[in-house]
Amino acid sequence: GGGEGGEEEEAQRRPSSLLERLTSHWRSEPRLMGQCDAFISHSWSDPPGPKWAALSAWAEAFEEEHGRLPTVWLDKLCIDQRNVQEALACLPIFLAGCDRLLVLAGPTYSSRLWCVMELFTFLKMGAPLERITVLPFAEPSTRQRSRAVSDDVPAHATLADVAASFASFDAAQARCARPEDRQALLAVIEESFGSFGEFNEWARHVFDVRVDGVHESRVTTLEAGWREEERGSCGLQLV
C-alpha cells in the first residue's frame, strides 16, 4: 500500500515494471470526497503482471456494470512521492473518500504491515464488509520465477499459497521497512482491539468471504497478454 516507503524505493530502483510503464497512460485528476470508486490496496513486492491482470479484470467488470470507467486511488500517483510520510497521515481521509477498498492480494500482501493498516483503518471507519473486494493473484505457472520474489515469498508461490497466507494471517508477523513504524502501527492495532487475535480473525474472515470470483476467468485471459507493453487505454481513471 501507500506506506511501504523503503520497499517502494527499492522497487523503483529495479528495472521498470509493466505497471510503472503503464502509469504513463493514466490520467490523474482531483475529485471530491465520495467521488472515487475504489482505494487500491496492494504490496509493491508482488509481481506486477498478474497484479495488472487482476486490476484490469475488475475494471472491465465495473465498466460493464456501470457503463463508465472506474476512478481509483493509487498511491503511486495520488501521493506526493517527495513527501510520502507526510501524505500518509491523511490515509483515513483518502480511504473515507473512496466507495470501496479494492485489495490486490498477491503472495506478499498479508505480510506487509502498511497493507494491514489499510484494512484496519477501513474497519475502524465502520465500513461494511460489502465495501471490500479481494482479488487474489499469483504468477501463472508458466512464468513463475526461478528465484524468490522476496525473503518471505517462495519462488513458486501459487494461488493456493496466497490463500494459505490469508488463512494463517497474523498482524504481529507483518513486516515494515522502518522498524519504528512497525512498532507504532502494531501498537495502534493492539490498543484498539486489546490483542491481535480479534483483528486477525476479522482479517481472515474478510479474505475468506470477500474474494471476487467473477474476475478469475477474465484474469486468465488477460494474463496471456500482460507482457504486451503498448496497450492503449488502461480502462482506469486516477484521482
Side-chain angles (χ1 to χ4, degrees), residues 27 37 59 62-63 66-71 233-237:
R27 179 164 59 91
D37 296 308
F62 183 99
E63 185 176 12
H66 299 278
R68 62 174 177 83
L69 299 177
T71 56
S233 171
C234 67
L236 298 169
Q237 291 181 343

Side-chain angles (χ1 to χ4, degrees), residues 89-101:
C90 298
L91 178 62
I93 298 175
F94 297 146
L95 280 162
C98 300
D99 181 64
R100 68 176 45 252
L101 180 67

Side-chain angles (χ1 to χ4, degrees), residues 27 74 79 82 90 97 106 116 120-121 134 168 172 175 177-178 184 194 203:
R27 179 164 59 91
L74 177 66
I79 283 182
R82 298 164 297 180
C90 298
V116 172
F120 168 80
T121 303
V134 179
S168 62
R175 298 171 53 187
R178 298 171 49 175

Side-chain angles (χ1 to χ4, degrees), residues 13-119:
R13 286 194 290 268
R14 300 171 191 155
S16 295
S17 69
L18 176 66
L19 186 59
E20 290 167 337
R21 289 194 292 271
L22 285 169
T23 58
S24 63
H25 297 294
W26 291 353
R27 179 164 59 91
S28 179
E29 62 183 32
R31 286 293 176 101
L32 297 175
M33 291 286 289
Q35 290 187 351
C36 182
D37 296 308
F39 179 106
I40 298 178
S41 179
H42 72 108
S43 166
W44 277 88
S45 296
D46 281 332
K51 182 191 296 185
W52 172 252
L55 178 57
S56 296
W58 173 83
E60 287 187 1
F62 183 99
E63 185 176 12
E64 288 181 5
E65 180 178 354
H66 299 278
R68 62 174 177 83
L69 299 177
T71 56
V72 300
W73 189 99
L74 177 66
D75 50 9
K76 177 68 173 179
L77 294 182
C78 298
I79 283 182
D80 184 349
Q81 299 300 305
R82 298 164 297 180
N83 298 290
V84 173
Q85 294 304 317
E86 180 179 329
L88 287 172
C90 298
L91 178 62
I93 298 175
F94 297 146
L95 280 162
C98 300
D99 181 64
R100 68 176 45 252
L101 180 67
L102 182 64
V103 177
L104 301 181
T108 73
Y109 184 88
S110 63
S111 68
R112 295 305 186 263
L113 189 52
W114 272 106
C115 296
V116 172
M117 283 305 299
E118 289 163 357
L119 280 174

Side-chain angles (χ1 to χ4, degrees), residues 110-111 116 119 164-171 174 199-200 203-204 207:
S110 63
S111 68
V116 172
L119 280 174
S165 74
F166 296 162
S168 62
F169 173 82
D170 185 354
F199 176 72
N200 289 342
R204 293 168 189 168
F207 291 137

Side-chain angles (χ1 to χ4, degrees), residues 122 126-132 210:
F122 209 62
L129 283 180
E130 291 72 21
R131 289 176 57 193
I132 300 175
R210 295 307 301 160

